Amino acid sequence: MTEYRRILLDGAAVQVVRHGDELRASDGRIVAVDEAIHLPPTEPTKIIAVHLNYPSRSDEFMTKLPPAPTYFHKPITALNSHKGAVVRPAGCQWLNYEGEIVIVIGRTCRNVSPDEAGDYIAGYSVGNDYGLHDFRDTDAGSMLRVKGSDTLAPVGPGLVTDWDFRGKTIRTLVNGAVVQEDSTDTMEWNMHYLVADLARTITLVPGDMIYSGTPANSRPVQPGDVVEVEVDGLGRLTNTIVEGPTPIRTDVGAQPTSSEEVVSTALGGDWEFRGIRTPSKDLYPSRIQEEEDA
């Protein structure tokens, strides 16, 4: 296995290779791992994430995994790096961690089988699919602001090639305490399946990233918390939560909420009511139902 990283070196983005506690550039420059300013390992054209993949998470939701995976999109402006600050906007309070493994595409990929998909993967990294649940009531379908707000897609610290995803442990720590832990062997759909599934209709190009799902026990974090996601063989992604300096504007758009649905999702409880009391259903009321009720 080889671990590549992208760092800021003398003002330029430079790819380096890790050798123990050192990062070495192709021109011979050497930087200590702990002193490097990290950048995301690639520059993707798109970041895609699977909704549910670990049975522990679906059991927590009191639901079943679907017959096939479903996905959502995180804008590339959400991309963040190892040691980057994750911003919880002022006025929001329900920011949850979700430790994940990230697949990085290495070759243009379209219409491949699961058996072929591995040939199109450059390597793997560690990610944290943060969710800003304050906007869940209005973005429940798209997850756009929930999962796509700025800084909510940290990936790193590096890109590891020739890594076997089987039998690996993934865990998330908050301020040093383990809060999520699971094995890749429990995933319903493995990395090759996810790539092949997406590539049936979407062309994946080098650098693109796919978040592969999170285990149970996603919970809110607070400004000042240090969140780490570690995966066997891929290293540890570290980020600190900070409060944004600018509050959410009140003169336009839906505002952050703390409805029962938001709180239940953030805290992982009351899942028997999931989807029944969702306020977003009231955004587009049925005219037929209104006529029947009249």
Side-chain angles (χ1 to χ4, degrees), residues 270-290:
D270 297 335
W271 284 107
E272 64 270 28
F273 300 110
R274 183 171 183 260
I276 296 174
R277 62 187 179 204
T278 309
S280 60
K281 290 186 178 230
D282 297 330
L283 293 175
Y284 303 98
S286 168
R287 293 175 61 185
I288 294 175
Q289 188 63 51
E290 286 182 347

Side-chain angles (χ1 to χ4, degrees), residues 132-188:
L132 189 64
H133 293 292
D134 304 71
F135 284 102
R136 193 174 187 88
D137 288 340
T138 52
D139 286 2
S142 71
M143 302 287 280
L144 182 61
R145 285 169 290 195
V146 176
K147 293 300 187 75
S149 294
D150 291 354
T151 76
L152 299 193
V155 180
L159 169 67
V160 179
T161 63
D162 300 314
W163 179 78
D164 186 351
F165 56 77
R166 300 167 184 85
K168 299 302 190 293
T169 297
I170 177 173
R171 60 177 60 87
T172 304
L173 303 90
V174 177
N175 300 326
V178 175
V179 292
Q180 287 184 297
E181 186 167 2
D182 214 322
S183 169
T184 56
D185 282 347
T186 71
M187 297 171 72
E188 182 69 15

Side-chain angles (χ1 to χ4, degrees), residues 11-147:
V14 177
Q15 186 182 69
V16 294
V17 178
R18 181 174 181 178
H19 294 272
D21 293 331
E22 295 180 339
L23 302 175
R24 300 179 185 176
S26 59
D27 61 6
R29 286 178 293 176
I30 296 175
V31 179
V33 169
D34 292 339
E35 296 177 2
I37 299 174
H38 283 78
L39 301 171
T42 65
E43 296 180 281
T45 68
K46 47 191 168 290
I47 305 169
I48 301 171
V50 64
H51 280 106
L52 292 175
N53 199 2
Y54 286 84
S56 65
R57 185 68 165 149
S58 60
D59 289 346
E60 180 183 36
F61 278 16
M62 299 178 67
T63 188
K64 297 179 181 179
L65 288 169
T70 60
Y71 305 92
F72 59 93
H73 183 246
K74 294 172 78 79
I76 57 174
T77 47
L79 191 61
N80 201 343
S81 62
H82 175 53
K83 296 187 178 180
V86 172
V87 177
R88 191 186 75 177
C92 295
Q93 58 181 324
W94 304 111
L95 176 66
N96 282 41
Y97 56 78
E98 292 188 12
E100 308 203 10
I101 297 166
V102 175
I103 306 162
V104 181
I105 299 300
R107 297 168 51 198
T108 299
C109 181
R110 181 71 163 85
N111 193 29
V112 301
S113 70
D115 289 340
E116 298 168 323
D119 295 335
Y120 295 83
I121 296 173
Y124 299 86
S125 192
V126 185
N128 201 326
D129 179 23
Y130 283 95
L132 189 64
H133 293 292
D134 304 71
F135 284 102
R136 193 174 187 88
D137 288 340
T138 52
D139 286 2
S142 71
M143 302 287 280
L144 182 61
R145 285 169 290 195
V146 176
K147 293 300 187 75

Side-chain angles (χ1 to χ4, degrees), residues 211-229:
Y211 279 73
S212 61
T214 195
N217 206 43
S218 165
R219 295 294 185 272
V221 282
Q222 309 299 323
D225 286 344
V226 177
V227 185
E228 301 166 289
V229 184

